[in-house]
Amino acid sequence: MTKNEINAEQIEFWNSAAGDQWVKGQENMDKTLAVFGQVAIDALAPKAGENIVDIGCGCGATSLALMETMGSGTVLGIDISAPMLARAKQRPEESGLKGIQFQEADAAVYGFESEALDGVFSRFGVMFFDNPVAAFSNIRAGMKPGGRMSFVCWRAVSENQWTLVPMMAALKHIERPEPPPPGAPGPFAFGDQEYAAKILKDAGFSHVAFEAKNLPMAFSIAPDKPLGLQFAEMGPVGRLLMTAPDEKKSAVIDSMTEALEPFVQGDEAVMDGAVWLVTATNG
């Protein structure tokens, strides 16, 4: 596989409608996912003056949060999605924060300066590598000896209400797709703790630790759109809807909306998000 072919499917996906959709929903997603990013920031404990990289920075919220915590230093946000990075690049000036840069690149092959990083952070951005051992080895090469890494990744679909509930509703009307091979790139690729831990250890990390966390995900509800459709626009369930026959799409959306209604609290749908908080060090 050539350098240009690495993670090609993910690069295409996040530079298509998926990336545009996340930009449109940026404010809501920032709010929904903030608590997950914060637990990883707290675990990383970035200090003033440090050099931190934010892997899969998306629209930039986590890069800003890292710099707000540090007060000084540098944060490099890396992502493969041009649409999301275009939004991210607007935000340091809007916030008045200095020291933040964004780079359209794939962390799996990006040329990090050797032993320059004090810390590596990611909120749901490291589960999409074609060759995760090689990708994490590349990232580790950019870390100082003793450098820290902290990220959050989803646990299994069966533990995550926000995906499981609408997915099971959709499958009442459409055929269940073939499950991806174990470890295939995707949101839930690191759900298996033993699998993910082996990747990090094979990439040379030490002091690898996993902590299970269940945190509330509060999704803002738009009054002019069925709730099922809103969930389909921002999660894995959307791929099910895209592949559903046109004559079944309305039934799928109606079933998802009905299944999600018990989780509505005012103008939000509040569901459980199950993640691993993962920490490790270089050496």
Side-chain angles (χ1 to χ4, degrees):
M1 181 177 289
T2 68
K3 181 175 180 178
N4 290 335
E5 291 173 330
I6 292 174
N7 296 334
E9 182 178 344
Q10 293 296 327
I11 291 171
E12 180 180 1
F13 179 76
W14 291 108
N15 282 283
S16 63
D20 293 332
Q21 193 65 50
W22 274 75
V23 173
K24 290 177 183 177
Q26 172 245 306
E27 291 186 12
N28 286 337
M29 294 311 298
D30 284 355
K31 177 182 175 183
T32 298
L33 299 178
V35 64
F36 298 97
Q38 191 59 52
V39 297
I41 290 174
D42 292 344
L44 185 66
K47 303 175 182 65
E50 288 193 321
N51 184 17
I52 306 294
V53 66
D54 181 2
I55 305 294
C57 64
C59 293
T62 47
S63 298
L64 271 65
L66 285 161
M67 183 53 73
E68 287 174 348
T69 300
M70 294 162 59
S72 65
T74 60
V75 175
L76 174 63
I78 293 181
D79 205 285
I80 58 176
S81 174
M84 287 194 275
L85 283 174
R87 174 62 187 128
K89 290 176 181 178
Q90 298 170 344
R91 302 181 71 178
E93 184 174 350
E94 294 173 356
S95 66
L97 291 171
K98 308 295 184 182
I100 305 174
Q101 294 185 336
F102 294 102
Q103 177 70 48
E104 182 181 348
D106 184 348
V109 293
Y110 181 71
F112 293 102
E113 181 182 348
S114 179
E115 299 187 356
L117 298 171
D118 296 287
V120 173
F121 167 92
S122 185
R123 185 191 70 188
F124 307 130
V126 295
M127 306 90 71
F128 303 95
F129 299 128
D130 281 340
N131 186 334
V133 173
F136 277 104
S137 296
N138 184 60
I139 293 167
R140 190 178 66 81
M143 299 172 67
K144 295 178 180 178
R148 296 121 41 223
M149 180 170 68
S150 172
F151 65 83
V152 283
C153 58
W154 299 114
R155 301 205 314 265
V157 172
S158 60
E159 299 179 75
N160 277 279
Q161 286 181 330
W162 65 276
T163 295
L164 182 64
V165 170
M167 181 179 291
M168 295 307 294
L171 291 176
K172 294 178 181 178
H173 305 278
I174 57 179
E175 185 176 349
R176 182 185 294 270
E178 286 292 322
F188 300 97
F190 287 2
D192 183 331
Q193 177 184 350
E194 292 185 5
Y195 167 77
K198 185 176 187 304
I199 287 170
L200 297 178
K201 291 174 182 177
D202 287 350
F205 285 94
S206 61
H207 303 97
V208 177
F210 285 68
E211 182 180 355
K213 288 189 173 290
N214 288 63
L215 301 168
M217 298 181 68
F219 300 88
S220 296
I221 300 173
D224 58 345
K225 188 180 296 185
L227 183 55
L229 181 58
Q230 293 175 58
F231 267 70
E233 287 179 342
M234 61 84 204
V237 179
R239 297 198 183 193
L240 285 179
L241 187 61
M242 288 173 60
T243 58
D246 289 342
E247 66 272 15
K248 293 187 177 182
K249 290 185 188 298
S250 292
V252 169
I253 292 170
D254 290 345
S255 285
M256 289 195 296
T257 298
E258 181 180 359
L260 292 164
E261 283 175 354
F263 300 94
V264 173
Q265 300 179 20
D267 61 354
E268 295 179 329
V270 183
M271 310 188 79
D272 189 52
V275 301
W276 292 117
L277 169 62
V278 185
T279 55
T281 58
N282 178 23

